[in-house]
Amino acid sequence: TLEDNSESEPHGILLEDVLDFDDGKNLLINATGTTTPTNTTEIFVVTVKPKSSDSSANAFYINGVENPEITLARGNTYRFDLSDSSLYNADTTKNHQLLFKSVKVAGSTTGGTSYTTGVTQSTSTITPIGTTGSFIQIVVADDAPQLYYYCTNHSGMGNSILTFTRPTIINGVDDRIVIDADSKIGDDGILLES
């Protein structure tokens, strides 16, 4: 809760109503501007190992973590490296092809179709899953829903992917944003530092 900010004893938050910067979308007080985060590329290394809870079943391990929930930022590119030999099988109906869906699959390969917006992948006839150069990549669309990753040939492999929009960065002076503060200490305003 916010309390009255009296002169005698500093407590609560005092907000002043001076508009110092307006970019048409954001109201910033004593900030120098805003920056939209730059898009980046991240690589996930995918392997297959027995599940920790059931050694008779397999799981995807992404960067060494068993069937993790993944968080992907809209606008970023994510490349899933599928070149590890643990994903390979000469019979393509038994290999471990990772794909995406926009409907919950509960670890199964049924229900809905693969999500393909912004998705590219190596050609399995040229670069089979589990061989050098095999990958699937997604450039997360600005309107991407929550997604799921799964194995096309085996149930129980995969998990959810949370997609989110990265917030706009508020720029201040020397990595500081001073909001209507008369000084950098005291009860004359608010100082936010990164």
Side-chain angles (χ1 to χ4, degrees):
T1 63
L2 296 180
E3 300 176 18
D4 176 39
N5 193 354
S6 66
E7 291 289 324
S8 61
E9 192 171 332
H11 58 280
I13 300 174
L14 172 64
L15 298 177
E16 299 178 23
D17 60 353
V18 178
L19 172 63
D20 292 326
F21 180 85
D22 185 358
D23 67 357
K25 296 190 317 189
N26 301 292
L27 172 69
L28 306 176
I29 299 175
N30 282 354
T32 60
T34 60
T35 302
T36 301
T38 56
N39 295 333
T40 61
T41 298
E42 187 172 343
I43 297 174
F44 292 115
V45 176
V46 181
T47 58
V48 172
K49 298 178 188 176
K51 286 186 174 181
S52 59
S53 62
D54 178 4
S55 61
S56 67
N58 287 323
F60 282 122
Y61 283 73
I62 299 179
N63 290 347
V65 179
E66 181 181 344
N67 282 343
E69 291 182 341
I70 301 173
T71 303
L72 305 181
R74 292 183 177 100
N76 281 357
T77 301
Y78 298 91
R79 186 178 186 98
F80 292 78
D81 179 345
L82 305 177
S83 62
D84 190 83
S85 63
S86 63
L87 287 85
Y88 179 78
N89 193 302
D91 180 349
T92 58
T93 65
K94 294 181 181 177
N95 68 17
H96 299 287
Q97 172 65 59
L98 183 147
L99 292 178
F100 307 108
K101 285 192 178 188
S102 60
V103 295
K104 191 168 186 174
V105 293
S108 72
T109 59
T110 60
T113 57
S114 294
Y115 180 83
T116 58
T117 303
V119 176
T120 56
Q121 57 188 340
S122 55
T123 306
S124 62
T125 56
I126 298 170
T127 311
I129 301 304
T131 63
T132 302
S134 180
F135 72 92
I136 187 166
Q137 177 173 292
I138 183 169
V139 178
V140 184
D142 290 339
D143 61 351
Q146 177 171 343
L147 298 172
Y148 303 87
Y149 67 94
Y150 70 102
C151 178
T152 59
N153 295 320
H154 305 94
S155 62
M157 297 179 69
N159 208 335
S160 60
I161 299 173
L162 174 66
T163 57
F164 73 99
T165 301
R166 293 168 297 151
T168 300
I169 298 167
I170 301 172
N171 303 317
V173 178
D174 296 328
D175 292 328
R176 292 183 228 195
I177 301 168
V178 180
I179 302 178
D180 282 342
D182 295 331
S183 66
K184 293 184 175 24
I185 56 172
D187 67 333
D188 297 325
I190 302 167
L191 173 66
L192 303 176
E193 296 185 279
S194 57

